[in-house]
Each structure stands twice: as C-alpha cells, then as structure tokens.
C-alpha cells in the first residue's frame, strides 16, 4: 500500500457510483488486547477459518504416515474428474479480460474519474511480478520446459486398452527435436501466460472496484454485492471469505513448500547440506521469521523494497543467462515461442475430447487450481496497489506485461537447458532432481557458484515477499475488510502460513502440497466464476473517465 492512509484510499477522487449500504467496516469485529498483542478480527470468519486450519494441521501432524496416501489419492481424484472444469473456468477468465480491454467498460477508473495512481510503473510492476509467481518461475523455469520437451520428443504411448500412458502435451512430436522444443515451450507458456494472470486480474479488479468506487470493505464478499445485496454481510458473505482464507493459506503453503525444496536443493549443491524434510522445515522456519520482520516493517518499507531488490536480482540473473547462454537462440526463441504458444493455444485450452490425459490432469488442472487458490492473495494485493488505474490499463498491464516477462524467463532458462542437452550433450540437467534443475543448468555456464548463490537468494526473497503479502491479505479478510489492524495479527498469519507448510511437508511432501492447492482451488473456482458476473454488473453502473 502507498503512504496514503486507509481513509484517503477509500475516499474517491472525481465521480463514482457508490453502493448505499448501512454496513460499517468492522461492525462485526471483536477487538482484543492481550498484553502487548492486539487483535481486531471478524469473529465468525476468523474463528471458523482458524479452527478449520488448526484442525487440519493437528490431524496431519498426528497421522503423518497415513496422510501421504490420502493426499495422493485426493489429488489424483480431483484432477482426473475435474480437469474439464478447471480448463473451462480458465478460458472464461481470459475471455472476460479480453472483453474488458476492448469494451467501453475499460474507461472506468479505479478510485474515481479523477484518481491518480499511488505507485509509478516501476514499483507497481515489481510488486505484481514478485507477489504473483516468483517462486514458481524459479522452481519450474528450467524443469518444466525441459520435461515437456522430453515427453514431446518421446512421442505417445498407449496401454492394452488404447489409453495413452505418456505425459506428452497434445499429440507429441516424436523424433522431431525442433517440433518438440516448440511444443514443450508453448505448453510451458500456456501454464504461465495469459490464463493465470487472467485469474488474478478478474478478482483483483473486482476487489479494487467495489472498495475504491463503491465504498465497500476491501474483502472478497464485497465483489458479490450486485448479486446478493445485503446478504453479503451475513453467512453468504462469511462463507465466501472463509473459503478465500482457506484457499489462500493452502495456495501459499504449496508455494512455500516448493520454495523450501528448491532452496534446500541449492544449499546442498553449494554447501553439501543434507537434503530432506528436516532441512526444508528449518528453511520454512527461518524464512517465516524473515517474513514476520518484513510484515512488521509494512508494505512500503517491507514488501515494496524486497520486491524491487528481487526484481533487480532476477533481471541481472536473466541478463547473465541471455549473455553467456545461447544468446541468439534465446532472442529469436522469444518470438518463436510466443508464436508457437499462440498457434497451440486453442488446442491446449480445449477442455473436452483430449487424449493427453496425463498432461491435462497432471499439469494443467493442478496449475489452474493452484492459481485459483492464490487468487485471493494475489488479487487483493494487486487491488491494494492499483488505485488510480483505468480498467483498460489495469487489465492490459496485469495480463500482458507479466505474461511477456514469463515468456522471456522460460525461454531464457528453459531454452538454455534444452540447448545444453541437445547441442552440447550436457546430461546433468536432465538427470537432476526437480528442485536441482536450475542449479544443474547454471553449472553448465560460467560463474556457476556465484549465480547459484544468487538463485538461492532469489528463491528465499520471493518466499519472504509471498509470505509477507499473503499475511497482509489474510489479515484484511479476517478483519472484515479493515486495513488498519494491529501488527500482531499479521504476525499471527505469517506464522500460521509457515506452520501449515511444515505440516504438509511432514504429511506427504510435494504431493500433499499440491493436493491441498487443488482441493481448495475447486470450490473457490466456483466463487470466482460468480464473481466475474458480479464484476460486469458493477462496472456497468460506473461513470467512465474521459
């Protein structure tokens, strides 16, 4: 958030069409002070979500050995039975965003017709990128393009019943190196491009519109006012906010677990520290402590500064890989991969009649559920830093700029790894474990120890900014939309995120993390689809900037 106070942010500049309601922000809250610690919480939302999460943590820790298979079966059932639903929902969000860009609704300005942006483009983009998918790009930037390339190159395989058993996207590209590279990169970009950012953009825009223009609390339930009216202040709204908190917490825990796994792998590579759950848990604890310090410092001093530092480090690492890697292949590959993505997009986004079940269920369904479970967190964070933008500017920037950055990142890191394997015969990168592929790729380039150390720092700081931003968002939802709440409340949520990540690591590792992201992403996908309808109704009544 900017230096503006909560009241300044919620006061519109210019013309708006506010919603007339008697509801006051925080009217259902309970304020407590226990020694130096203060709390200002929405009693029902906080209690139900908090108790549900604590019960989950207790059961997972108490029955660690038994929970692993449960999580594995849960993830398999959800992705195999609901892949069509996740793919369809993702397409709806992209189409909704494209309609907003070209329609007259794009002229609506968040905060009123005369509102000015609180942040310049540099700081805004840094926060969008770092909060949105920093850990994921570090973890999957090398491994995913390489995996899709290899599976596409191997072609298709079927069992005795004629059902495909391979993991290749679409129909594969057996024996054709260039076609496999194009297909592998387009499948990767599909997972990191327009679709995830459209999911974020729809919810972020709804939150910003109903808070800054309609005068409602900055919480998920407010987006549904055009459909449910005053019922959003009752149990209809409570359920929506509780779902948002649970989805956000497990989406964040998935990312924190993945970040810990990669940081652990990097430390093992550089300093021969032991691999395994113990190291990952220690990392979660240490980095959660760092996130708590950042939370206490506030958004301007904490998240904004860390995001900008990380963006600079990520940019330097990206430039290094482009400069010392296959430079020409990366630069030409950026446009080639973008073309391949657009060419394969209709087939990759098709929800029905797919033969590549392992790819759609094992990759796409998981990703869409993961992005959806992240959407309350990323959406609210984007809303908090986007006042003053027009809808057209907001959607264009949130959708296209991070997508383009993701394409460049995947092309540079994944493209370099593929080039090392195909043209240099460098097999370490394909033999490495998932969490080590980034470091294996960097090992094939000069200054490997320095760049690997930078890679670990990037993972850790992305980890911190995600936890930091997430605790701000969880804090706001659990406080009924109040922004000015005691710092100890944010510390509670930052600590809780770390605890859930630890429980999931102990209860089944990466499979458990993915299972919870998918299972919380499904109900919240339904919430998001309804929110999209409500968003259009809300925008239709707003005055438009000239």
């Amino acid at each position: 958030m900017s230096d503006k106070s909560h009241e300044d942010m919620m006061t519109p500049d210019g013309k708006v069409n506010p919603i007339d309601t008697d509801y006051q922000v925080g009217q259902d809250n309970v304020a407590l002070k226990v020694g130096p610690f203060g709390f200002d919480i929405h009693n029902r939302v906080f209690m139900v979500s908090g108790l549900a999460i604590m019960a989950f943590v207790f059961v997972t820790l108490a029955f660690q050995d038994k929970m692993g298979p449960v999580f594995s079966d849960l993830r398999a059932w959800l992705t195999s039975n609901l892949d069509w639903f996740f793919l369809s929902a993702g397409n709806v969000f992209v189409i909704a965003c494209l309609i907003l860009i070209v329609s007259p609704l794009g002229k609506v300005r968040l905060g009123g017709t005369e509102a000015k942006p609180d942040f310049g483009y540099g700081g805004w983009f840094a926060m969008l990128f770092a909060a949105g998918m920093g850990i994921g790009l570090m973890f999957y930037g090398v491994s995913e393009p390489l995996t899709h390339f290899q599976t596409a190159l191997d072609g298709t395989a079927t069992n005795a019943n004629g059902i495909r058993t391979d993991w290749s996207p679409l129909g594969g590209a057996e024996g054709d190196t260039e076609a496999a590279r194009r297909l592998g990169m387009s499948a990767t970009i599909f997972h990191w491009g327009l679709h995830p950012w459209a999911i974020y953009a729809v919810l972020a825009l709804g939150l910003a519109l109903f808070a800054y223009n309609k005068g409602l609390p900055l919480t998920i339930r407010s987006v549904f006012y055009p459909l449910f009216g005053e019922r959003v202040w009752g149990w209809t709204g409570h359920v929506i906010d509780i779902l948002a908190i649970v989805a956000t917490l497990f989406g964040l825990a998935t990312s924190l677990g993945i970040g810990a796994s990669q940081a652990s792998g990097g430390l093992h590579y550089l300093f021969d520290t032991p691999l395994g759950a113990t190291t990952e848990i220690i990392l979660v604890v240490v980095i959660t402590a760092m996130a708590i310090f950042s939370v206490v410092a506030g958004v301007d001093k904490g998240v904004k500064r860390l995001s900008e530092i990380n963006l600079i480090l990520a940019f330097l690492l990206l430039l290094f890989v482009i400069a010392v890697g296959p430079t020409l292949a990366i630069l030409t590959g950026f446009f080639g991969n973008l073309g391949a993505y657009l060419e394969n997009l209709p087939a990759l986004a098709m929800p029905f009649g797919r033969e590549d079940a392992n790819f759609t269920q094992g990759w796409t369904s998981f990703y869409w559920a993961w992005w959806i479970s992240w959407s309350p967190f990323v959406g609210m964070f984007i809303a908090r830093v986007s006042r003053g933008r027009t809808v057209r500017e907001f959607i264009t920037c949130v959708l296209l700029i991070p997508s383009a950055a993701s394409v460049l990142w995947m092309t540079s890191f994944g493209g370099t790894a593929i080039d090392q394997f195909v043209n240099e015969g460098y097999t370490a990168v394909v033999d490495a474990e998932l969490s080590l592929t980034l470091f294996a790729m960097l090992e094939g380039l000069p200054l490997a120890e320095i760049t690997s150390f930078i890679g670990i720092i990037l993972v850790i700081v992305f980890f911190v900014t995600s936890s930091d931003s997430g605790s701000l968002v969880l804090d706001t939802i659990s406080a009924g939309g109040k922004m000015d709440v005691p710092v100890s409340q944010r510390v509670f949520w930052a600590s809780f995120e770390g605890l859930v990540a630890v429980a999931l690591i102990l209860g089944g590792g990466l499979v458990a993390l993915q299972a919870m992201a998918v299972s919380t992403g499904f109900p919240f996908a339904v919430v998001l689809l309804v929110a999209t309808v409500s968003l259009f109704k809300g925008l239709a009544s707003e005055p438009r900037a000239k």
Side-chain angles (χ1 to χ4, degrees):
M1 204 163 63
S2 71
D3 291 329
K4 284 186 174 184
S5 69
H6 173 226
E7 288 74 17
D8 289 339
M9 288 190 71
M10 305 306 282
T11 303
D13 298 313
K15 295 177 182 176
V16 292
N17 185 24
I19 287 172
D20 184 20
T21 177
D22 294 331
Y23 184 82
Q24 298 295 314
V25 177
Q27 73 176 37
D28 296 325
N29 284 21
V30 175
L32 302 169
K33 193 156 183 70
V34 183
F37 304 108
F39 288 89
D40 190 347
I41 54 174
H42 189 291
N43 56 347
R44 293 176 182 86
V45 172
F46 183 87
M47 290 301 293
V48 174
S49 57
L51 288 172
I53 294 160
M54 281 193 281
F56 169 83
V57 170
F58 173 78
V59 171
T60 304
L61 293 177
F63 304 100
Q64 291 176 30
D65 296 336
K66 295 178 181 177
M67 292 306 290
V70 172
F71 287 131
S72 182
D73 292 345
L74 178 64
R75 181 187 186 279
W77 188 89
L78 286 166
T79 54
S80 61
N81 287 281
L82 298 173
D83 55 333
W84 63 271
F85 172 76
F86 284 120
L87 265 72
S88 300
N91 295 340
V92 168
F93 300 131
V94 172
I95 292 166
C97 286
L98 295 178
I99 290 171
L100 288 174
I101 289 174
V102 300
S103 76
L105 298 176
K107 292 183 178 179
V108 173
R109 188 175 293 277
L110 301 174
T113 52
E114 307 299 325
K116 298 287 186 288
D118 295 332
F119 293 101
Y121 279 115
W124 191 42
F125 291 157
M127 286 188 281
L128 291 183
F129 196 71
M133 49 181 56
I135 287 176
L137 287 178
M138 293 298 296
F139 192 83
Y140 288 105
V142 173
S143 60
E144 188 175 346
L146 197 58
T147 300
H148 294 327
F149 163 75
Q150 285 180 284
T151 54
L153 192 61
D154 291 342
T156 59
T158 55
N159 62 17
N161 298 320
I163 298 170
R164 276 178 55 176
T165 56
D166 63 275
W167 284 74
S168 171
L170 302 179
E174 188 172 356
D176 188 335
T177 303
E178 178 56 24
R181 187 192 64 76
R182 284 174 59 83
L183 182 56
M185 291 304 302
S186 58
T188 303
I189 294 165
F190 174 57
H191 292 149
W192 295 87
L194 295 177
H195 282 74
W197 288 98
I199 292 167
Y200 297 158
V202 164
L203 188 57
L205 182 60
L207 287 164
L209 175 76
F210 285 94
Y212 304 140
N213 295 58
K214 303 296 188 183
L216 300 184
L218 185 61
T219 189
I220 311 296
R221 69 176 74 202
S222 296
V223 180
F224 295 82
Y225 194 93
L227 297 177
F228 298 118
E230 292 293 311
R231 281 179 292 166
V232 297
W233 314 127
W235 272 104
T236 302
H238 300 344
V239 170
I240 290 167
D241 280 351
I242 289 164
L243 275 175
I245 287 176
V246 174
T248 301
L249 202 71
F250 285 113
L252 278 167
T254 302
S255 302
L256 300 187
I258 285 172
S261 169
Q262 188 172 32
S264 170
L267 290 170
H268 173 75
Y269 165 76
L270 280 180
F271 307 114
D272 202 30
T273 55
L275 288 170
T278 304
T279 306
E280 291 175 21
I281 289 166
I282 292 169
L283 278 166
V284 169
V285 171
V286 170
I287 298 170
T288 299
M290 293 170 65
I292 288 169
F293 281 116
S294 179
V295 161
V296 172
V299 179
D300 254 359
K301 293 177 183 175
V303 181
K304 182 169 179 281
R305 193 170 296 165
L306 279 173
S307 298
E308 289 174 344
I309 290 169
N310 232 32
L311 195 69
I312 292 167
L313 277 176
F315 183 67
L316 290 174
L317 186 61
L318 178 66
L319 282 183
F320 174 82
V321 171
I322 293 172
V324 303
T327 308
L328 186 61
I330 291 171
L331 296 177
T332 55
F334 174 81
F335 298 101
N337 293 339
L338 203 53
Y341 162 62
L342 295 173
E343 178 187 328
N344 289 312
L345 181 58
L348 288 166
M350 177 59 67
F352 306 105
R354 298 286 288 270
E355 295 182 356
D356 51 347
N358 282 340
F359 174 77
T360 58
Q361 295 169 11
W363 284 97
T364 309
S365 292
F366 161 65
Y367 269 133
W368 274 208
W370 189 16
W371 302 144
I372 288 166
S373 69
W374 260 53
S375 64
F377 145 54
V378 181
M380 189 172 291
F381 189 74
I382 292 173
R384 289 182 72 157
V385 298
S386 299
R387 188 182 184 277
R389 308 285 176 187
T390 65
V391 168
R392 183 168 293 127
E393 179 187 20
F394 176 93
I395 295 287
T396 302
C397 291
V398 172
L399 206 62
L400 299 184
I401 291 172
S403 294
S406 297
V407 174
L408 181 59
W409 187 275
M410 294 296 187
T411 298
S412 302
F413 285 75
T416 297
I418 293 170
D419 183 81
Q420 287 174 331
F421 175 64
V422 172
N423 297 325
E424 300 173 20
Y426 179 64
T427 57
V429 72
V430 296
D431 296 334
E433 291 182 28
L434 195 63
S435 62
L436 290 171
T437 50
L438 170 67
F439 305 106
M441 184 275 286
L442 292 173
E443 192 175 6
L445 301 175
L447 306 175
E449 290 187 354
I450 296 172
T451 54
S452 295
F453 186 66
I454 291 172
I456 293 170
I457 292 173
L458 277 168
V459 171
I460 289 172
V461 180
F462 275 134
F463 196 144
V464 172
T465 53
S466 295
S467 178
D468 191 338
S469 313
S471 61
L472 284 166
V473 169
L474 290 167
D475 190 23
T476 304
I477 301 173
S478 64
K482 260 191 164 182
M483 292 188 198
D484 300 327
V485 292
V487 173
S488 52
Q489 206 161 301
R490 295 180 199 164
V491 171
F492 168 82
W493 285 114
S495 307
F496 227 47
E497 289 160 31
L499 186 62
V500 172
V502 167
L504 288 170
I505 289 168
L506 288 172
L510 189 59
V511 171
L513 293 161
Q514 292 177 340
M516 292 316 298
V518 174
S519 57
T520 53
F522 168 64
F524 204 73
V526 178
V527 171
L528 267 188
L529 288 167
V530 178
T532 305
V533 177
S534 193
L535 169 64
F536 275 83
K537 285 178 71 73
L539 282 170
S541 64
E542 275 298 298
R544 293 156 197 175
K546 293 179 181 178

